[in-house]
Amino acid sequence: MEYLSSDKIGIIDFTTSEVSEEPLDEELVRENIGGIGITTILHEKYKEDDPVVLGTGLLTGTLVPGSALGVITARSPISGKVVHTPLTMYTGIELKYSGFDYLVIKGKAQNPVYLWIHDGIADVEDAGELWGKDTWTCTDQIRKLMGDDVIQVLGIGGAGEAGSELAQITCNYWGSADRWGLGKIFGEKKLKLVAVRGMGLIEIAEPEEFVSQARSMIAEFRSAPFSGRQGVGDLLAELGHEDFNSWMGPLVHRHKSCFNTPIPTNTFLFLDEEPQLMKESEKDEPGVLVTDPLALLALKNLGLSAKDAGEALKACAKQGIDPYRVALLAQENGKTTLQDLLGFLPEMKASPEVSYVQEIFSPWCPRRPLWGDFGIGSDESEISQWWNRRQAVAYIFGIHPIFALMSPQLSEDKLLELAALGTDIEFDSNTIDKIVGRLID
Amino acid sequence: MNKSHNYTTFYGLSVDILGALGGRGNTSQHDHTKEQYDFCRDHYPSIGIYSGGGASHSWLWFVDLFDRFGLYNVHLISEVEIKSGAIEPLDVLCVSGGDTFRIAESLGKEGSETLRAFVEGGGIYIGACAGAYLPLKSSKQPLNLFNYVDTKIANVTKSLPQALRMHHKFSTPYGCEFIFHPVRDAVELSIGDLPPFYSTASVVAPLYGGPPMIPSSQCEVLATYKCFTDKTVFLVDRDLAAKTVINKAAVVRKEMGKGVLYLFGPHFEHPHYRQANKLLLKSIYWETNERKKGIERARPFSYQPISNSRDFLAQLKRDLSNSRIVATSLEMLPVYWIIGRKVYEPAKIREFLEAIWKRIHRLEKTENIFLKDLEQEYLQSLGSRLRDLVRELKRSIDEGKDTSELAAILFADLNRFSCMFCNIYFRTMMAASTMGE
Amino acid sequence: MGIRIDPIKCTGCMACELVCSYHRDDAFAFLSACIVVYRAKEKKDYFGVIVKEEESLVIARPEGLEIKGIGAVDEEAEGEGDSSAKPMLLREACDLCEDVEDGPLCVSVCPHGAVYTE
């Protein structure tokens, strides 16, 4: 596989400590495109070993707007189904440029280990010094050890180590879209974290045309309905929760985009520092990046203040525990103050019942179009069907799932066209139908 | 002449240039192992590139140049090889940029004598920038040991003009005078009608502190500074720059005994200046044709391919990848070091690493890699050491510590590592190309 | 004329960095870009943009823009000049995409208009 690819699948077996490689077959891409189109095939191939498959979309890390996405495909501890977690911020691109297109992690290690992925090399390292430490400490230590502060860290905290069903795989210091308890699987494998640094180069089959089309879309998006909206508050307002901006406004520092995503979907709250401060804060931990709007909503619904909700998010991120389900459990158990909630965290082992248990795409992503017209009505089942397909397409091509809700211009035809321009592969027009048909039953 | 040709180098290893070239029939001092590779070397000029004391990193450009044109009979050498006369069998010796005084100090009297003997015996000396200053007549010690070419430079002055910019690269003290650099970057040269340059009217090449020379009857002027380009950076006002540089000699040629010296003010070996590259290569081909040193046909190649090349390369690549990651994170930091008399920036670390990095990929594709004695162990331990050093450097910078000593050690090791790697690389590529791999 | 950045409008999306690398390499490879998002202080939400120009660095910190001459940092240094050459253009200086239609590219891809020319 020559284009938009590192032409490498890494297979890491913790039981045997073996690392092996396979090339990425062009035929595989022609039939399955990328992202979950291929992670599912790899998961199926190695399913005896209960693998965790990391991957990236075919278009991830290119100039196509919103092309930020990495994915984790694994069997969810709470449902037993093969599910997918989107990886946003910079983790998707770091994976894409790391020299691997896909990583299959299987088996169980005897002692705690971590994976260091760099330049097409997968190193299994001893995590004795890291096990037992929270995700923030681990991220800091890995970055210090490797000498680079932009290394992306997919890790677990105390929750994953303790086998909690609420355990989340976190991204650096922040919560991820993992609603499935995949942190528990990492914990079972004694895998503390996966550290990734991408220094590679991605070739494009028809660079001029590809870039020209991407640039046109970027220009188009400048006048899209979402233009000018920023962050978690505006997102939630669009979902009908108008008071978010005023509730958390006093704590908002800045908004952050995921890679190449025209609208910032993350908001940094300063909990322990003056939010107006633009200079570098002298505090080591001035606040928290809100990457999970629906979790924030759930915490607000508990009756917490914005500051307390922020503290709760920070504590959950450090522990590597899903804040959305934490809020649900807290509600169920009457733990409606910050102190009570934090005190109850270590006891949160069994997942509360959730409405999404039969699904496969992370419900971290809101379930309807945002600032975009996709020509669907207001019928709930129609929207649900549309949403599932739209998520599937996003996870296959590598588009930020939330951005996918606002970008009708990134139609399936367009994405397929870009994929063809990028790779010189002639995709069948019904390829997406076939893949989606296989994924969604 | 029964000289032993095994020398302990700057790198602490025995490097046998003659062994690499196959010797002149005197192979009894080498271990003959079962597998030997015969190949014909007479159409590859044997080239030495100086990377020892006083050399900066621009020797990497010579490496790049010869690599690109498939000239693999290349040896990275230090002052040790020059002082001991081990360069004698080479056709060509290239000395690129750096600190001229330090190069002269490193070579010393011994080096000056063997260098002279090398050229007089038929060797071709290619000097660029500092390498051009070195053999120019000078009264200053220890440069006065290398007075091979009686030609003056135009950029020396008793009272230094005001620098408009880039103060740290503007001038060098020269006794009680100063050498100053009026311009940097691309300049346009007009070509004379003397061989081997005579087929081009003009060429653009970059000046990074090299000399504008005053033409004299002492040597042939192959190219003169014609005019500045829109990329030229002025460190003094335009008039003074023009007065100092324009119409002065940019490239001169001087025969000495049976050999010849080419002195280049600008860096004709710079990878972005292809036309200049071609002229430089043309000179080398032309001169080696004229004065074959008599190295004969097929010689036994006395290195053995290592059996675990995949593992060896994998480990090297791992360490290099780790070092490169740190080097990249250092790049944007506002830190620099003064080592010797030169300014080193973090980007320079990457420069060495990138040169090796791209060549590791090529080595991965060859079947056999040729190493000698302890080279494998040494290179591997140096690779890990570099990784640890560069990580320590980053940590220390982050903690606000003084890193000048650490940086000096790092750059010295980096140079050592790069030279050793390049030697292995060229040796392997030479074998591969002759084996038709 | 040079590239300038309004650091407060920036959301750290790195589109500028990616497209600049394309301008250099005809491929995507962040390492060759001359406009770079500084993102080493993630925990503190402190991020900005750096542009390498021929003789200066444009440093867009959230608190304000600074244009720092390369080499100006060596004013106090005792190091004398040397004849060593410029680094091998690992990060080439910004050329304002002079050969590109409706460039500079970074300006054209920034979703928030944070990158502009002055």
Side-chain angles (χ1 to χ4, degrees), chain B residues 12-223:
Chain B
L13 271 194
S14 154
V15 163
D16 185 356
I17 291 184
L18 212 53
L21 298 175
R24 290 221 187 97
N26 181 11
T27 52
S28 55
Q29 62 214 37
H30 311 295
D31 266 340
H32 285 286
T33 50
K34 286 193 194 122
E35 290 187 81
Q36 303 225 337
Y37 293 80
D38 280 6
F39 53 93
C40 177
R41 266 184 304 271
D42 67 333
H43 51 275
Y44 289 116
S46 54
I47 304 170
I49 303 176
Y50 183 69
S51 57
S56 68
H57 61 285
S58 54
W59 61 261
L60 287 169
W61 301 346
F62 270 116
V63 165
D64 228 47
L65 175 69
F66 299 133
D67 192 10
R68 256 187 292 128
F69 283 87
L71 293 173
Y72 298 132
N73 196 349
V74 171
H75 310 269
L76 278 301
I77 58 167
S78 71
E79 63 271 25
V80 175
E81 281 85 359
I82 296 184
K83 288 209 292 224
S84 60
I87 54 167
E88 200 243 318
L90 292 170
D91 291 311
V92 184
L93 178 64
C94 301
V95 182
S96 183
D99 181 339
T100 317
F101 277 97
R102 222 180 118 219
I103 298 176
E105 279 160 13
S106 303
L107 294 175
K109 186 163 193 301
E110 224 184 317
S112 72
E113 284 166 4
T114 50
L115 195 54
R116 180 188 286 275
F118 164 76
V119 180
E120 286 178 345
I124 302 157
Y125 175 90
I126 308 274
C129 204
Y133 282 107
L134 183 67
L136 289 172
K137 185 168 174 186
S138 167
S139 57
K140 313 285 182 279
Q141 285 185 352
L143 292 184
N144 56 353
L145 294 168
F146 299 86
N147 289 347
Y148 308 150
V149 181
D150 188 359
T151 289
K152 295 194 182 17
I153 53 178
N155 57 335
V156 63
T157 179
K158 280 198 165 55
S159 72
L160 203 54
Q162 181 74 317
L164 295 178
R165 51 180 63 84
M166 296 184 109
H167 302 83
H168 61 304
K169 295 192 194 257
F170 177 57
S171 67
T172 318
Y174 185 65
C176 46
E177 296 171 296
F178 296 92
I179 291 182
F180 70 105
H181 312 297
V183 295
R184 283 175 72 87
D185 225 309
V187 290
E188 193 177 331
L189 315 176
S190 65
I191 304 293
D193 49 13
L194 291 171
F197 277 24
Y198 53 90
S199 59
T200 328
S202 72
V203 72
V204 175
L207 201 54
Y208 291 129
M213 295 171 275
I214 296 173
S216 73
S217 56
Q218 291 294 313
C219 47
E220 295 168 5
V221 175
L222 297 180

Side-chain angles (χ1 to χ4, degrees), chain A residues 224-265:
Chain A
F226 62 76
S227 165
R229 307 291 180 187
Q230 301 228 313
V232 158
D234 282 352
L235 254 167
L236 286 164
E238 180 65 10
L239 288 169
H241 309 281
E242 301 282 351
D243 51 345
F244 254 84
N245 276 323
S246 52
W247 175 72
M248 67 178 197
L251 299 179
V252 169
H253 182 233
R254 298 178 71 179
H255 305 286
K256 286 229 50 194
S257 292
C258 301
F259 170 72
N260 199 13
T261 305
I263 174 176
T265 55

Side-chain angles (χ1 to χ4, degrees), chain B residues 98 165 167-168 171 208 351, chain C residues 55 74-75 81 83 88 91:
Chain B
R165 51 180 63 84
H167 302 83
H168 61 304
S171 67
Y208 291 129
E351 201 156 344
Chain C
E55 288 171 38
D74 307 318
E75 287 289 314
S83 38
M88 197 170 126
R91 300 258 186 197

Side-chain angles (χ1 to χ4, degrees), chain B residues 245-365:
Chain B
V245 175
I246 302 300
N247 290 328
K248 301 294 184 299
V251 185
V252 302
R253 178 183 180 277
K254 163 102 196 283
E255 290 187 6
M256 187 162 88
K258 293 196 220 152
V260 67
L261 299 112
Y262 275 73
L263 305 187
F264 291 84
H267 284 271
F268 272 50
E269 74 278 20
H270 194 289
H272 292 193
Y273 296 84
R274 297 298 159 113
Q275 215 198 350
N277 292 167
K278 292 204 176 105
L279 282 173
L280 173 52
L281 282 168
K282 208 169 173 189
S283 319
I284 293 178
Y285 288 136
W286 197 78
E287 298 291 352
T288 47
N289 243 4
E290 292 285 301
R291 48 178 55 70
K292 282 197 175 53
K293 293 201 80 175
I295 303 272
E296 276 137 47
R297 310 301 167 250
R299 290 281 153 201
F301 183 64
S302 65
Y303 291 93
Q304 202 183 358
I306 58 169
S307 55
N308 60 337
S309 58
R310 278 186 66 91
D311 293 333
F312 167 69
L313 281 180
Q315 187 51 39
L316 217 60
K317 193 173 163 198
R318 173 177 286 109
D319 286 334
L320 215 62
S321 164
N322 283 323
S323 300
R324 198 170 156 251
I325 285 169
V326 188
T328 307
S329 82
L330 281 171
E331 245 192 322
M332 287 290 174
L333 291 182
V335 66
Y336 68 99
W337 307 277
I338 312 226
I339 303 172
R341 276 175 284 235
K342 296 189 3 246
V343 175
Y344 283 75
E345 300 121 344
K348 274 198 184 136
I349 303 176
R350 252 194 86 196
E351 201 156 344
F352 284 100
L353 294 176
E354 295 296 336
I356 304 169
W357 183 249
K358 65 181 177 196
R359 293 183 169 92
I360 286 222
H361 293 309
R362 269 179 246 161
L363 283 185
E364 279 177 325
K365 299 192 173 106

